[in-house]
Amino acid sequence: MAHLCDLCLNTRLLSIRPSSIFQTGSPRNPSATTASAAEKGNASPPRSRSALETRISLVLALAFQASSVSQRVLEDLARETAKYAFPRRFEARNLEEALMSVPDLETVKFRVLKRTGQYEIREVEPYFIAETTMPGKTRFDFNGSSQAFNALASYLFGKNTAGEQMEMTTPVFTRKVQSGGEKMDMTTPVSGDQGKWQMSFVMPSKYGSNLPLPKDPSVAIKEVPRKIVAVMAFSGFVTDEDVKRRESKLREALRSDTQFQVKEDALVEVAQFNPPFTLPFTRRNEITLEVEDKTK
């Protein structure tokens, strides 16, 4: 509506005759007007604006408005593109990690407690997630992953009780669900069948606990408490076999850690930081297991 009002105003201003801008009043005596014109020489009376000129004025006004809108859209697009064109990088331990990058989006806050050649121990601050169960027989089944991702993305981009469009964050978490209901000190236990996986989006921190409710009943909002995790990074596309192999490798490496040990019944969680169009060797993925300090 504001653009339409501006358009009408611009059109009106373009149609005003220059002579009317400086005219302070209309003479009461027509003969005086004629005499005044005669005294000034051969000045012709002002003519009416033609239909062609009116159309040109309207086109110019439309072009001006379109240019303003296009400029704002391009500025927004440039800002969003820059987040992917100029990504952030984590501290690298090897060449594989040196090539990895993540979009410059908000992510989970953490503090590094320990770094080794194979993994990193982090203390992760609390955060909120939107979570849904992934359909499908395998954990990274394409159709199941797509359905879960679309459900979460719909919530994030407006399918909620407030119609709120929220900013995208990283990473996308995928975690295994324990049979009979898994309790991970969240606000609500997560239930599911053996072999089922949950996908979750990290919520923008500015909302805190005041997040709008999902309209889709398959999406739940939960708080993840402060925790300590062991993380192993890797590149490429995530597959079921790759997750199994890397989880086994991380558990084996942690057996020789003198300070931290894997918590009892800890289940693997996978973090994916990049959009689908990212080249495989520059993608950052992480295998995560919750641990505890065994020296305390």
Side-chain angles (χ1 to χ4, degrees), residues 167-186:
E167 298 86 356
M168 193 66 188
T169 61
T170 57
V172 174
F173 285 113
T174 309
R175 65 188 185 88
K176 194 173 184 180
V177 177
Q178 190 177 52
S179 179
E182 176 192 359
K183 294 184 179 180
M184 294 185 65
D185 298 325
M186 291 188 178

Side-chain angles (χ1 to χ4, degrees), residues 211-232:
L211 286 158
L213 296 176
K215 289 185 177 180
D216 186 343
S218 70
V219 178
I221 305 300
K222 297 173 182 176
E223 182 179 14
V224 180
R226 187 182 304 274
K227 59 183 178 179
I228 299 176
V229 296
V231 179
M232 179 181 287

Side-chain angles (χ1 to χ4, degrees), residues 56-123:
I56 292 175
S57 298
L58 181 59
V59 169
L60 290 174
L62 286 169
F64 176 79
Q65 292 297 323
S67 175
S68 299
V69 173
S70 298
Q71 185 176 358
R72 288 195 294 271
V73 171
L74 289 174
E75 288 174 354
D76 291 342
L77 180 61
R79 281 194 295 269
E80 292 302 314
T81 302
K83 295 175 182 179
Y84 296 93
F86 305 99
R88 297 182 295 105
R89 295 183 183 275
F90 283 72
E91 186 177 347
R93 287 187 297 268
N94 50 49
L95 178 60
E96 182 183 22
E97 284 197 62
L99 295 174
M100 298 177 192
S101 62
V102 299
D104 191 16
L105 302 173
E106 182 180 0
T107 189
V108 175
K109 295 179 181 179
F110 61 85
R111 179 169 63 95
V112 177
L113 302 179
K114 181 178 180 178
R115 289 174 61 86
T116 73
Q118 293 181 288
Y119 58 87
E120 188 172 87
I121 303 295
R122 300 174 184 169
E123 182 180 25

Side-chain angles (χ1 to χ4, degrees), residues 11 29 94 106 136 150 238 250 260 279 289:
T11 306
N29 189 351
N94 50 49
E106 182 180 0
N150 290 338
V238 180
L250 179 57
F260 296 96
L279 294 173
L289 286 170

Side-chain angles (χ1 to χ4, degrees), residues 7-284:
L7 174 60
C8 294
L9 178 59
N10 290 330
T11 306
R12 183 175 179 83
L13 289 174
L14 287 169
S15 65
I16 294 176
R17 295 192 300 273
S19 59
S20 64
I21 297 176
F22 302 98
Q23 187 174 345
T24 58
S26 299
R28 297 182 180 179
N29 189 351
S31 61
T33 305
T34 305
S36 176
E39 289 174 359
K40 293 182 179 180
N42 297 324
S44 59
R47 62 183 179 84
S48 301
R49 179 173 292 274
S50 68
L52 177 59
E53 289 173 321
T54 302
R55 291 193 187 97
I56 292 175
S57 298
L58 181 59
V59 169
L60 290 174
L62 286 169
F64 176 79
Q65 292 297 323
S67 175
S68 299
V69 173
S70 298
Q71 185 176 358
R72 288 195 294 271
V73 171
L74 289 174
E75 288 174 354
D76 291 342
L77 180 61
R79 281 194 295 269
E80 292 302 314
T81 302
K83 295 175 182 179
Y84 296 93
F86 305 99
R88 297 182 295 105
R89 295 183 183 275
F90 283 72
E91 186 177 347
R93 287 187 297 268
N94 50 49
L95 178 60
E96 182 183 22
E97 284 197 62
L99 295 174
M100 298 177 192
S101 62
V102 299
D104 191 16
L105 302 173
E106 182 180 0
T107 189
V108 175
K109 295 179 181 179
F110 61 85
R111 179 169 63 95
V112 177
L113 302 179
K114 181 178 180 178
R115 289 174 61 86
T116 73
Q118 293 181 288
Y119 58 87
E120 188 172 87
I121 303 295
R122 300 174 184 169
E123 182 180 25
V124 182
E125 294 186 12
Y127 59 94
F128 283 86
I129 59 172
E131 186 174 64
T132 189
T133 301
M134 299 172 63
K137 295 181 179 180
T138 60
R139 65 192 81 178
F140 293 103
D141 172 78
F142 177 77
N143 291 329
S145 298
S146 298
Q147 290 180 42
F149 187 93
N150 290 338
L152 295 173
S154 296
Y155 163 72
L156 195 69
F157 298 136
K159 193 176 180 181
N160 53 65
T161 52
E164 184 82 13
Q165 293 190 15
M166 293 172 274
E167 298 86 356
M168 193 66 188
T169 61
T170 57
V172 174
F173 285 113
T174 309
R175 65 188 185 88
K176 194 173 184 180
V177 177
Q178 190 177 52
S179 179
E182 176 192 359
K183 294 184 179 180
M184 294 185 65
D185 298 325
M186 291 188 178
T187 54
T188 306
V190 179
S191 60
D193 298 327
Q194 182 66 31
K196 288 290 185 181
W197 284 68
Q198 298 277 356
M199 179 182 287
S200 60
F201 282 7
V202 178
M203 294 291 96
S205 59
K206 68 179 184 181
Y207 292 95
S209 59
N210 299 318
L211 286 158
L213 296 176
K215 289 185 177 180
D216 186 343
S218 70
V219 178
I221 305 300
K222 297 173 182 176
E223 182 179 14
V224 180
R226 187 182 304 274
K227 59 183 178 179
I228 299 176
V229 296
V231 179
M232 179 181 287
F234 63 100
S235 60
F237 292 107
V238 180
T239 64
D240 293 314
E241 292 303 319
D242 204 26
V243 170
K244 290 179 182 179
R245 178 170 58 84
R246 293 183 184 278
E247 179 189 357
S248 177
K249 184 178 179 181
L250 179 57
R251 288 183 181 273
E252 181 64 30
L254 286 167
R255 288 193 181 97
S256 59
D257 195 296
T258 58
Q259 183 179 359
F260 296 96
Q261 63 184 7
V262 180
K263 288 188 70 173
E264 186 179 359
D265 299 328
L267 297 175
V268 67
E269 184 173 55
V270 182
Q272 300 179 74
F273 288 82
N274 305 94
F277 55 78
T278 308
L279 294 173
F281 63 89
T282 64
R283 298 176 66 88
R284 183 180 183 89

